[in-house]
Amino acid sequence: MGLVLIPEEIALERTPAANHRRAFLLVPAMNLDFSKAGGLVTAVVQDYRTGRVLMVACMNEAAFRQTVETGYATFYSRSRGQLWLKGESSGHRLVVKQISTDCDRDAVLLQVEALGPGVCHEGYQSCFFRRLDSGQWRVAEERTYDPKAVYGRNQ
Amino acid sequence: MGLVLIPEEIALERTPAANHRRAFLLVPAMNLDFSKAGGLVTAVVQDYRTGRVLMVACMNEAAFRQTVETGYATFYSRSRGQLWLKGESSGHRLVVKQISTDCDRDAVLLQVEALGPGVCHEGYQSCFFRRLDSGQWRVAEERTYDPKAVYGRNQ
């Protein structure tokens, strides 16, 4: 019934480097509703300092658990069908500062410190770099890094 | 091909009361990817002043179009299988100030002015009123209104 093991002393304020696993608790960890979207919940990622919404992704239960356990945002990639540690190849990890859930528990909000110049694989600070302007989507900001330089070396 | 009619002079900065429909344009209005989630995209709603994330919902193409056309956030209710004008019964409508989409166009971000004391049908300012705290979801704030007083009168 959604019971998982998570470290008793997990502190989301701390980076994973400070994460010890001496004790575990059985907690009704999720109470998240994974039933509406085929085992997934929506995860909204927001910069914890500026409030900017950086990206939206999906989490299955394993991704959520890994996020809580490690302190690094981990999603479920629908296209690849596997867990996706954000920043695994780019180094642009998301250090989770706070996690909230909504009234019907089918979405989570991660407030994060985003490591690196940008979250978006296209080179922008946020994936939401296009705004609706007179009926057209327009790029509303400059790239903060060159995605070829970051992702090219691992391809 | 996702072409829809939207008013040429639609101005998301203005309230729908100022919305005239004298001219229409054929625009590649969406370019949104409704294929990943059965005809839906994820809609994240954020207070345009404070940056607080208020709720997450789904939109089908009709909901998105209605949102753009009217300036009021309209979603698709999966449970009811129909369009859902947010605030229709409570009066707590969301006046859309800006719309962004993400890199893969399967999510939109609505920056809104939220009318009324709260967005959440449980009486909170934001649906994200529960925070993960030592492995437990805890209510982290006070209600801003009495949901029975708001929703009861229409039931």
Side-chain angles (χ1 to χ4, degrees), chain A residues 2-144:
Chain A
L3 295 180
V4 299
L5 291 168
I6 70 161
E8 184 180 38
E9 68 223 67
I10 194 163
L12 291 170
E13 279 29 301
R14 296 189 292 168
T15 61
N19 183 23
H20 306 292
R21 299 194 179 196
R22 282 196 297 270
F24 289 83
L25 280 179
L26 258 184
V27 294
M30 310 305 160
N31 276 338
L32 294 179
D33 182 356
F34 290 97
S35 71
K36 286 186 190 167
L40 303 174
V41 296
T42 300
V44 178
V45 177
Q46 181 180 37
D47 186 291
Y48 85 111
R49 275 186 289 240
T50 67
R52 182 160 195 202
V53 175
L54 301 175
M55 62 179 289
V56 171
C58 292
M59 285 182 168
N60 62 4
E61 195 162 348
F64 180 75
R65 188 169 56 216
Q66 184 168 315
T67 298
V68 173
E69 287 180 352
T70 65
Y72 286 128
T74 304
F75 306 110
Y76 179 78
S77 167
R78 289 180 291 186
S79 57
R80 287 179 281 146
Q82 62 185 40
L83 291 188
W84 162 35
L85 170 62
K86 174 68 182 165
E88 191 165 21
S89 53
S90 66
H92 303 168
R93 294 196 184 197
L94 303 174
V95 180
V96 177
K97 300 290 188 178
Q98 188 169 277
I99 305 180
S100 306
T101 191
D102 67 348
C103 44
D104 49 4
R105 296 188 166 97
D106 62 354
V108 293
L109 172 64
L110 308 182
Q111 288 169 293
V112 306
E113 178 185 0
L115 306 182
V119 159
C120 182
H121 73 290
E122 292 195 23
Y124 295 92
Q125 183 190 50
S126 164
C127 293
F128 291 91
F129 58 85
R130 286 191 200 90
R131 288 184 194 165
L132 194 62
D133 177 11
S134 302
Q136 303 282 346
W137 296 114
R138 296 187 200 279
V139 174
E141 60 198 76
E142 300 292 319
R143 283 195 166 87
T144 52

Side-chain angles (χ1 to χ4, degrees), chain B residues 71-140:
Chain B
Y72 286 128
T74 304
F75 306 110
Y76 178 79
S77 167
R78 289 180 291 187
S79 58
R80 286 178 283 146
Q82 62 185 42
L83 291 188
W84 162 36
L85 169 62
K86 174 67 183 166
E88 191 165 22
S89 54
S90 67
H92 303 168
R93 294 195 184 198
L94 304 174
V95 180
V96 177
K97 299 291 188 178
Q98 186 169 276
I99 305 180
S100 306
T101 190
D102 67 348
C103 44
D104 49 5
R105 296 187 167 95
D106 62 354
V108 293
L109 172 65
L110 308 182
Q111 287 169 294
V112 306
E113 178 184 0
L115 305 183
V119 160
C120 182
H121 73 290
E122 292 195 23
Y124 296 91
Q125 183 191 49
S126 164
C127 293
F128 291 91
F129 59 84
R130 288 191 199 90
R131 289 184 194 165
L132 193 62
D133 177 11
S134 304
Q136 303 282 344
W137 296 113
R138 295 187 201 280
V139 174

Side-chain angles (χ1 to χ4, degrees), chain B residues 134-150:
Chain B
S134 304
Q136 303 282 344
W137 296 113
R138 295 187 201 280
V139 174
E141 59 198 77
E142 299 293 319
R143 282 194 167 88
T144 53
Y145 70 96
D146 177 3
K148 285 181 191 164
V150 170

